[in-house]
Amino acid sequence: EISFLEFHAAVGSLSEYLQQSKQNEWVLYCQDTFLFAIGFFALLHSKKTIILPHNIKPKNLENLDAQIGSLEFLFEDDITTHQQNSLTKNYHLSQIDAPSSQIIFSTSGSTGTPKLVHKNLQNLEEEIKELQKLFADDLTGKIFAATVSHQHIYGLLFRLLFLLCTGDLIYSTTINTIEELTDLTLVFQNIVLISSPAFLKRLPSNISVSDINIFSSGGLLKKLDAQNCAAVFGDFPIEILGSTET
């Protein structure tokens, strides 16, 4: 478990490093949600433009370079270095100017040509306020795990930013298999799973897992798959409709 003091120090250390760079546009890509959060907020505090690719395959990065121009990259190893060295001093973090911040999502192009979608932190804060109105009371005190990436807006909101506002626990490693999910239930109770039809359609019908609330986004869940989820988890998933563009 990571304390807020450790998180603050790691963000401060990385932000101090980033402010020394004249480069404005930074590609942020991490598998681990905690390391991603350090990079995300360090870039915001440093007044850098954050670019969130859906993957880091060479073709995708070439497209980003062609659309945006010269880029710098922030990966897990870079962030880990600052996390490990961050507790040696105190850091002062300036307030983030949410309306002027720049966060660029790179869509996968599953519904057409890949697009760059521009948001700012204020846009995301407005969405989080609505999520709190809808779900905060019912989900307080639970631990949130996810099968989807925080590189997309759905994952960023539901598995990170919303939880930083509510103070709920975040399981930072992405769940990739059914076995990883069932193993998690042996360690934690009252789990909220942030998932998608791509994962939920693979659920075997011969398992039963209680105390899990399910959110699903990334396309409509087929009726039979939703019914299978209800049989496995004891309730139907809450489906979140929309896309990065909307």
Side-chain angles (χ1 to χ4, degrees):
E1 188 171 330
I2 307 299
S3 70
F4 178 77
L5 178 63
E6 292 173 289
F7 177 67
H8 182 278
V11 171
S13 174
L14 183 56
S15 178
E16 187 177 83
Y17 163 76
L18 291 168
Q19 289 176 46
Q20 297 172 10
S21 172
K22 295 181 180 179
Q23 178 67 34
N24 187 55
E25 291 80 16
W26 286 75
V27 172
L28 173 63
Y29 189 87
C30 297
Q31 296 286 347
D32 182 90
T33 300
F34 173 63
L35 295 176
F36 174 89
I38 293 172
F40 185 81
F41 283 98
L43 287 164
L44 287 175
H45 280 289
S46 304
K47 297 180 173 58
K48 305 295 186 182
T49 296
I50 303 173
I51 302 160
L52 301 178
H54 57 280
N55 64 51
I56 52 173
K57 294 179 180 178
K59 184 176 180 180
N60 188 40
L61 296 182
E62 288 174 9
N63 289 336
L64 285 177
D65 187 70
Q67 291 176 286
I68 298 173
S70 177
L71 302 172
E72 285 286 351
F73 298 89
L74 198 55
F75 297 134
E76 290 194 0
D77 288 346
D78 308 309
I79 297 168
T80 299
T81 299
H82 289 274
Q83 179 197 358
Q84 294 170 343
N85 299 331
S86 62
L87 294 178
T88 58
K89 60 181 288 188
N90 294 322
Y91 296 93
H92 173 73
L93 292 170
S94 59
Q95 186 172 353
I96 297 170
D97 185 0
S100 67
S101 61
Q102 296 189 62
I103 304 162
I104 303 175
F105 295 88
S106 173
T107 68
S108 62
S110 57
T111 57
T113 304
K115 298 178 181 178
L116 297 182
V117 180
H118 294 254
K119 303 278 187 180
N120 61 46
L121 188 60
Q122 186 176 45
N123 300 146
L124 302 181
E125 287 175 338
E126 291 169 354
E127 297 203 39
I128 292 166
K129 289 177 183 177
E130 295 303 314
L131 296 181
Q132 288 179 302
K133 292 177 186 177
L134 291 169
F135 304 120
D137 290 343
D138 295 331
L139 302 177
T140 299
K142 297 179 181 287
I143 182 167
F144 284 68
T147 69
V148 298
S149 172
H150 41 244
Q151 300 286 142
H152 299 276
I153 194 168
Y154 166 55
L156 178 61
L157 289 170
F158 276 82
R159 72 177 289 184
L160 178 60
L161 299 183
F162 174 50
L163 309 182
L164 290 177
C165 292
T166 61
D168 289 302
L169 293 175
I170 303 170
Y171 185 71
S172 66
T173 303
T174 301
I175 300 294
N176 293 309
T177 66
I178 306 300
E179 291 75 19
E180 290 173 354
L181 176 60
T182 54
D183 288 345
L184 191 67
T185 63
L186 301 177
V187 181
F188 298 104
Q189 294 181 326
N190 298 320
I191 296 170
V192 178
L193 186 68
I194 309 304
S195 194
S196 68
F199 182 88
L200 296 175
K201 71 181 182 181
R202 296 189 280 116
L203 281 175
S205 58
N206 60 347
I207 64 169
S208 178
V209 184
S210 59
D211 295 325
I212 295 186
N213 299 103
I214 307 293
F215 285 85
S216 178
S217 187
L220 284 172
L221 193 61
K222 292 182 179 180
K223 183 177 180 179
L224 289 178
D225 293 331
Q227 291 172 336
N228 186 46
C229 285
V232 170
F233 298 116
D235 201 357
F236 285 92
I238 297 172
E239 293 196 67
I240 307 298
L241 304 181
S243 66
T244 300
E245 291 90 338
T246 58

